[in-house]
């Protein structure tokens, strides 16, 4: 469903499903009840300014009755979000692709209390291009390469690469060496991973056929640390973190695996030691091989 409102200050509009029946006389009544933590007059003023619209861009008013629309579109107000003082570095730019190094702690797209402090919004503003769209994503805690589509005309060709698993992705991670010693590497890990709405971690289902696969190789192992190279064949949520934790190699700085720790402020001295290092694929437009490599490194990686 195409958004009827343009991108504004690098931020796209939000879509909200509206019930067809209920104890609300108007759509505005439903919205003020749904977002009761926001002052009702602030929400109603958005209707007055024409910032709440139907699928075809028609302005909705305070009096628009419930049931008149299935969805509404509006702009989120910028949250009082913490600043993330780490820069996005451009690795490559052409007419179709933008490839960047995303730092630790910065989300790829708005979410989780972050709006303007996201790679997408920063890059849309930097390049004055509302059409910029991520072709894939990294967790907020993970650093490294992210690829963006520059224009809609060629976006689908590059998105299909990821859907067809035609992109060779290489990651690096640093883990502690278990007391019982390292598992024999290289090793291919397979499991069935699922996730549910609101779930913070991937769930391993032992009773189902594997849907996630990762090859793990050693780059360098010292007495206390292991620097690993990871080749994920699939792209499930938290796949690398879950797979390494499952063989006793929890990634340094990971607050989700193997144990879910209490929420805490970001610690710049302990970023997750997981890095998206390389992207390789055959360009669907030119037919030529392409390869991108991050300029970042993991701070806990043992020196060569």
């Amino acid at each position: 469903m195409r958004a009827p409102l343009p991108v504004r200050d690098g931020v796209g509009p939000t879509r909200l499903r509206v019930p067809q029946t209920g104890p609300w006389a108007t759509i505005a009544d439903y919205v003020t009840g749904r977002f009761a933590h926001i002052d009702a007059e602030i929400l109603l003023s958005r209707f007055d300014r024409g910032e709440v619209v139907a699928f075809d861009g028609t302005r909705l008013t305070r009096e628009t009755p419930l049931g008149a629309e299935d969805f509404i579109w509006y702009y989120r107000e910028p949250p009082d979000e913490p600043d993330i003082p780490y820069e996005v570095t451009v690795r490559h730019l052409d007419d179709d692709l933008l490839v960047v190094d995303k730092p630790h702690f910065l989300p790829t797209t708005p979410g989780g209390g972050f709006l303007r402090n996201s790679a997408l919004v920063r890059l849309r503003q930097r390049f004055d291009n509302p059409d910029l769209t991520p072709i894939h994503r990294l967790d907020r805690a993970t650093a490294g390469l992210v690829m963006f589509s520059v224009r809609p005309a060629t976006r689908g060709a590059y998105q299909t690469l990821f859907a067809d698993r035609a992109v060779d992705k290489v990651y690096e991670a640093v883990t502690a060496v278990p007391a019982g010693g390292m598992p024999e590497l290289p090793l291919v890990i397979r499991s069935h991973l699922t996730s549910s709405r609101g779930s913070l971690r991937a769930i391993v289902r032992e009773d189902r056929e594997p849907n996630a696969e990762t090859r793990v190789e050693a780059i360098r192992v010292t007495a206390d640390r292991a620097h690993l190279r990871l080749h994920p064949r699939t792209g499930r949520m938290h796949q690398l973190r879950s797979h390494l934790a499952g063989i006793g190699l929890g990634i340094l700085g990971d607050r989700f695996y193997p144990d879910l720790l209490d929420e805490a402020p970001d610690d710049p001295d302990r970023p997750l030691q997981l890095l998206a290092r390389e992207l390789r694929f055959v360009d669907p437009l030119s037919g030529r091989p392409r390869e991108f490599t991050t300029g970042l490194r993991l701070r806990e990686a043992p020196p060569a």
Side-chain angles (χ1 to χ4, degrees):
M1 187 180 295
R2 185 174 180 83
L5 292 171
V7 171
R8 185 174 70 178
D9 297 328
V11 181
T14 296
R15 185 182 71 176
L16 176 68
R17 179 185 288 275
V18 179
Q20 293 295 290
T21 60
W24 310 278
T26 65
I27 289 177
D29 289 341
Y30 171 74
V31 170
T32 55
R34 167 75 180 268
F35 302 105
H37 60 287
I38 302 176
D39 184 271
E41 279 306 314
I42 293 177
L43 296 173
L44 292 173
S45 69
R46 299 181 192 175
F47 285 86
D48 298 338
R49 295 195 300 268
E51 295 180 352
V52 183
V53 303
F55 75 97
D56 60 356
T58 303
R59 293 175 58 170
L60 305 181
T61 71
R62 299 187 187 209
E63 290 75 34
T64 301
L66 190 76
E69 302 293 338
D70 293 322
F71 295 93
I72 63 173
W73 296 79
Y74 65 96
Y75 291 110
R76 289 175 56 192
E77 290 295 323
D80 184 16
E81 58 187 298
D83 184 48
I84 301 178
Y86 310 111
E87 295 300 319
V88 180
T89 302
V90 174
R91 306 297 301 174
H92 171 84
L93 175 63
D94 61 33
D95 291 341
D96 302 296
L97 290 180
L98 169 64
V99 184
V100 304
D101 269 335
K102 184 191 80 66
H104 296 289
F105 306 118
L106 185 73
T108 303
T109 58
F114 294 93
L115 183 63
R116 301 197 184 283
N117 276 296
S118 65
L120 175 60
V121 172
R122 288 187 183 182
L123 291 168
R124 280 178 171 174
Q125 292 176 331
R126 182 190 304 185
F127 293 103
D128 191 23
N129 182 358
D131 290 328
L132 275 179
T133 302
I135 300 174
H136 65 117
R137 289 168 173 79
L138 293 182
D139 293 339
R140 189 169 82 85
T142 305
L145 295 174
V146 183
M147 196 159 71
F148 290 80
S149 164
V150 172
R151 59 193 183 106
T154 57
R155 181 177 305 150
Y158 292 101
Q159 289 175 328
T160 299
L161 288 175
F162 284 87
D164 292 344
R165 300 178 183 172
V167 179
D168 184 14
K169 297 172 287 186
V170 181
Y171 287 72
E172 290 183 9
V174 180
T175 77
V177 172
M182 291 287 293
E184 185 175 348
L185 300 178
L187 173 66
V188 175
I189 306 170
R190 298 182 182 90
S191 68
H192 189 103
L193 299 178
T194 63
S195 60
S196 59
R197 186 176 179 84
S199 174
L200 295 178
R201 305 204 304 173
I203 301 168
V204 180
R205 294 293 302 269
E206 302 287 355
D207 59 333
R208 296 186 182 181
E209 290 295 316
N211 64 357
E213 179 179 310
T214 306
R215 179 179 172 85
V216 182
E217 303 169 350
I219 298 174
R220 179 173 173 79
V221 179
T222 64
D224 61 344
R225 284 177 292 172
H227 187 191
L228 306 175
R229 183 181 296 110
L230 312 174
H231 299 268
R233 181 174 171 272
T234 52
R236 302 290 173 180
M237 184 185 96
H238 292 179
Q239 175 177 318
L240 302 179
R241 299 162 75 169
S242 174
H243 277 178
L244 287 181
I247 60 171
L249 298 177
I251 301 174
L252 295 181
D254 197 342
R255 301 189 61 81
F256 284 67
Y257 303 88
D259 299 313
L260 181 61
L261 304 181
D262 292 337
E263 186 174 353
D266 295 336
D267 184 350
D269 292 326
R270 290 184 57 82
L272 177 71
Q273 293 299 282
L274 181 60
L275 176 67
R277 176 172 174 77
E278 298 174 13
L279 292 170
R280 294 193 292 265
F281 56 92
V282 174
D283 192 284
L285 304 182
S286 68
R288 298 176 179 174
R290 306 189 76 171
E291 180 175 340
F292 301 105
T293 303
T294 183
L296 302 176
R297 66 178 302 274
L298 295 172
R299 63 189 298 171
E300 298 297 333

